[in-house]
Amino acid sequence: MPENTKAAQRIRQVSTHLSPQKLPVDYSDVFDDMKLLRSMASTPDTSRRGYIRQKEAGKLWVRERLEQLLDQGSFTEIGSLSGTVTWEKTGPTTDKPVSFIPSNNIQGMGRLKGRKVLLTADDFTIRGGHLDGSTAGKTIYLEKLALALKLPMIKLVDGSSGGGSVTIIGTQGWSYLPSLPAFRHIVDQLNQGIPNLGAVVGPAIGLGAARVVSCHFSVMAADIGSLFNAGPEVVKGAALGDDLNPQTLGGPAIHCTNGTIDNMARDEAECYEQLRTMLSYLPNCGVEAPPVIPSTDPENRTDESLRRVIPRRPTRMYNPRTIILSVVDRESWFEIGPLWGRTAISGVARLGGRPVGIISLNCEVNGGTLDAAGSQKLTRLLKLCDVMNLPVLQFIDVPGYAIGPAAEKAATMRWGVELAKTYFDTTTPLFNVITRRVYGVAGGVMISSRDPVMQVAWPSGQWGSLPLEGGIEVAHRHELGEAAKVGKKAERYKELDDEYRRLMNPVRTANAFGIEEIVDPKDTRSICCAWAKHVYKTLLPQRLLDRAAGKIVPKFC
């Protein structure tokens, strides 16, 4: 057979397997399908029951949230075509999408005040945010991407964030063992100092609750937010409560006051503003320094009113936030956890534009004695500052750990020791301003974890193993008992009290170099700014090198 006849025959054989349809050479048919699916995903189905329920609850639709949170036009979606599609065949080798249920978890990249971030947001209008065919894969991918790119992760939780539902059993035809493959990557991010910031903007349930609580910082919208291991219907089914709703079971009155969630916001808009604010103090990852910004507040600014803040009478209290606001840059103070662990105050601020962590005791609550919740709050802040390379400024006025039956039941010493371990395990620079009392184990824990210690004291400083109130009775029990027999207990007690107070003049401690320096309170800002300036210029660069070399390995969890 001639060669050209064989070739013709082969062409005819191949042509029988080719579609007679002519496909566009520029793949415009594929682009049309993609455009249609993206249009469906970005246009809410206002007739959908879930969308109606979302709006009736006063909540934004998920893509409205992205517009409100991120810098305008900065969002780039990852997995924009993921979801469930119904296809209609239009030819032997072609079809077209006729319906599309997008993935109920939107993920992608955007900017917060110019900072590039990764973001994941639940769409509660679709299956209440429960797991669909692509959510798990997308979630794991984004968690890995945060580690690879060293970018902050923002999580808007409204539902279960891809948690399971019993309907999956019917869909798959078998029941599965639960697993959390993404959590390994989350823990790595937390310990590497890659900021994880979460907002509760609806009911955070099960896995969704776990994802937001695991964050470095979390905030809940007071008007629509709630969080629980299982919702009211499941709790009712377990015979654990009948008259429950999301707010009474796990609203902000519960979880913003017990430490599960750090902060409360009035609404979604304030949630997003808190996320922006918190991120502004943090680096993209633990091998970077926190972002320094220009400051118009003079670093040598003085405040003579600080001389009068501490009352001369030891039993009188004062507002410790007055001191914080005076010392740090104006309008830079951002408190973390104001509604829980209220014997302690924690947050972030700036000194000369340099981010720092702030720790203070709160003498207006329980006399400033450090209780279990206060210790937990300070432990959390120290770990946060350690992984984020934030130096910590402490205002010390601590009469000791909380005492009494309630304190013992709350395991105060257990959590006090955990705080002590954290102080000695972390390595971020500390600077102490002793404003008044430093007593007992709690006082020792807070000031002695660095060697050499960096600190100054105010003239109002008082310190020792025990406060005189109670300490005199313990040390002079027999003597006072004998005086009581002759009706002179009060007289002898006053003599002892006067003598001890004379000897407790802080200048006497400075004479023995028991305190490094006593300073004028009005100069506190300039002293602290000078310390922060040195830390950022000299200590942090070396710290970053040590972290990169593995010599320092901070742990948030």
Side-chain angles (χ1 to χ4, degrees):
M1 181 181 293
E3 191 67 29
N4 60 344
T5 305
K6 289 183 178 180
Q9 185 178 17
R10 180 57 180 160
I11 291 173
R12 285 194 299 271
Q13 290 173 345
V14 172
S15 65
T16 59
H17 298 284
L18 297 177
S19 170
Q21 292 178 294
K22 292 184 178 180
L23 298 178
V25 296
D26 60 356
Y27 295 90
S28 59
D29 56 326
V30 178
F31 288 127
D32 288 343
D33 288 346
M34 293 166 58
K35 182 178 179 180
L36 178 59
L37 291 175
R38 286 172 176 155
S39 175
M40 290 178 177
S42 62
T43 305
D45 182 354
T46 57
S47 64
R48 182 186 291 275
R49 181 178 59 183
Y51 181 86
I52 295 171
R53 179 179 56 198
Q54 186 87 349
K55 289 302 180 179
E56 288 177 345
K59 298 191 292 182
L60 294 175
W61 183 48
V62 62
R63 293 185 185 272
E64 294 172 334
R65 287 172 170 159
L66 302 185
E67 292 176 0
Q68 189 170 111
L69 170 66
L70 299 172
D71 297 353
Q72 186 175 5
S74 69
F75 182 61
T76 300
E77 189 167 353
I78 298 173
S80 62
L81 301 178
S82 60
T84 304
V85 184
T86 300
W87 295 89
E88 180 182 286
K89 187 175 181 181
T90 58
T93 63
T94 59
D95 52 15
K96 66 177 182 180
V98 293
S99 70
F100 180 39
I101 300 177
S103 169
N104 55 13
N105 189 276
I106 296 178
Q107 307 192 2
M109 186 180 295
R111 293 184 181 273
L112 279 185
K113 290 187 173 180
R115 291 270 300 273
K116 188 178 292 185
V117 299
L118 296 174
L119 178 137
T120 171
D122 294 328
D123 186 351
F124 192 70
T125 69
I126 301 175
R127 300 188 68 245
H130 289 301
L131 181 68
D132 68 12
S134 58
T135 298
K138 288 171 62 178
T139 298
I140 294 171
Y141 176 79
L142 206 70
E143 301 291 359
K144 289 180 178 179
L145 200 60
L147 288 167
L149 299 180
K150 302 282 190 288
L151 286 177
M153 176 74 90
I154 309 297
K155 301 176 182 180
L156 307 184
V157 178
D158 183 6
S160 66
S161 287
S165 167
V166 294
T167 59
I168 298 176
I169 300 173
T171 303
Q172 295 186 158
W174 53 280
S175 183
Y176 61 93
L177 290 169
S179 65
L180 298 174
F183 255 72
R184 180 184 304 276
H185 311 301
I186 292 172
V187 170
D188 286 344
Q189 290 173 42
L190 296 173
N191 288 332
Q192 290 184 29
I194 296 173
N196 272 231
L197 311 180
V200 181
V201 288
I205 312 162
L207 180 58
R211 293 186 74 224
V212 71
V213 171
S214 68
C215 288
H216 290 116
F217 171 77
S218 57
V219 59
M220 178 183 287
D223 57 340
I224 56 175
S226 56
L227 181 146
F228 23 73
N229 299 328
E233 291 302 316
V234 176
V235 172
K236 182 179 179 180
L240 296 174
D242 292 327
D243 189 19
L244 291 171
N245 59 51
Q247 291 293 308
T248 57
L249 179 60
I254 305 295
H255 289 309
C256 294
T257 60
N258 66 10
T260 300
I261 296 296
D262 292 308
N263 282 21
M264 181 176 72
R266 289 188 304 271
D267 50 28
E268 288 195 56
E270 188 181 335
C271 271
Y272 306 147
E273 186 56 35
Q274 288 201 31
L275 293 179
R276 295 185 197 100
T277 300
M278 185 64 191
L279 182 62
S280 70
Y281 295 92
L282 306 179
N284 281 346
C285 65
V287 294
E288 297 180 3
V292 178
I293 65 173
S295 174
T296 58
D297 192 357
E299 295 185 27
N300 62 354
R301 172 173 53 81
T302 61
D303 185 355
E304 293 193 4
S305 69
L306 292 180
R307 293 173 173 174
R308 301 181 294 277
V309 166
I310 308 296
R312 293 304 294 257
R313 186 180 300 174
T315 55
R316 289 189 60 191
M317 302 305 159
Y318 61 94
N319 182 359
R321 292 178 178 84
T322 301
I323 299 174
I324 297 172
L325 292 172
S326 172
V327 173
V328 304
D329 293 358
R330 291 188 178 98
E331 299 183 359
S332 74
W333 167 237
F334 181 71
E335 188 165 355
I336 301 173
L339 300 179
W340 73 283
R342 295 176 58 244
T343 59
I345 298 172
S346 66
V348 288
R350 293 186 180 87
L351 292 171
R354 307 170 190 92
V356 296
I358 299 290
I359 284 177
S360 174
L361 281 303
N362 187 2
C363 64
E364 293 187 315
V365 178
N366 205 26
T369 56
L370 193 56
D371 61 6
S375 291
Q376 292 172 43
K377 183 160 81 172
L378 296 188
T379 297
R380 183 173 172 83
L381 184 84
L382 283 170
K383 290 181 177 181
L384 173 69
C385 292
D386 204 41
V387 298
M388 298 295 177
N389 303 314
L390 287 168
V392 176
L393 171 60
Q394 301 193 112
F395 297 97
I396 309 291
D397 179 7
V398 56
Y401 286 126
I403 61 175
E408 303 302 340
K409 290 179 180 178
T412 296
M413 186 53 71
R414 162 62 66 189
W415 293 108
V417 169
E418 287 300 313
L419 174 61
K421 290 189 287 187
T422 302
Y423 266 107
F424 283 90
D425 190 49
T426 54
T427 57
T428 193
L430 294 181
F431 190 84
N432 305 325
V433 178
I434 300 174
T435 58
R436 188 160 65 169
R437 300 164 295 179
V438 188
Y439 287 111
V441 175
V445 162
M446 296 189 72
I447 68 170
S448 61
S449 63
R450 301 294 187 269
D451 186 17
V453 64
M454 303 290 176
Q455 65 187 12
V456 295
W458 284 6
S460 47
Q462 308 169 20
W463 33 70
S465 58
L466 283 172
L468 290 184
E469 298 79 8
I472 292 177
E473 285 86 347
V474 172
H476 297 273
R477 180 180 293 118
H478 177 74
E479 182 180 354
L480 291 173
E482 292 298 312
K485 294 178 181 178
V486 295
K488 294 188 176 181
K489 179 180 179 180
E491 180 181 342
R492 181 55 185 154
Y493 182 93
K494 186 177 185 307
E495 291 173 352
L496 291 168
D497 186 75
D498 289 345
E499 178 66 6
Y500 280 121
R501 293 194 186 281
R502 182 180 68 84
L503 296 175
M504 290 175 66
N505 183 338
V507 176
R508 285 177 170 265
T509 306
N511 296 153
F513 200 61
I515 179 67
E516 292 72 18
E517 197 62 49
I518 299 174
V519 301
D520 189 335
K522 75 177 180 64
D523 298 324
T524 303
R525 171 172 168 78
S526 62
I527 293 169
C528 294
C529 284
W531 165 76
K533 183 177 182 179
H534 178 77
V535 168
Y536 271 81
K537 181 179 179 181
T538 305
L539 303 186
L540 275 191
Q542 183 60 50
R543 177 182 175 86
L544 298 179
L545 291 174
D546 289 345
R547 285 192 70 168
K551 296 179 181 179
I552 299 175
V553 186
K555 294 286 185 181
F556 184 77
C557 52

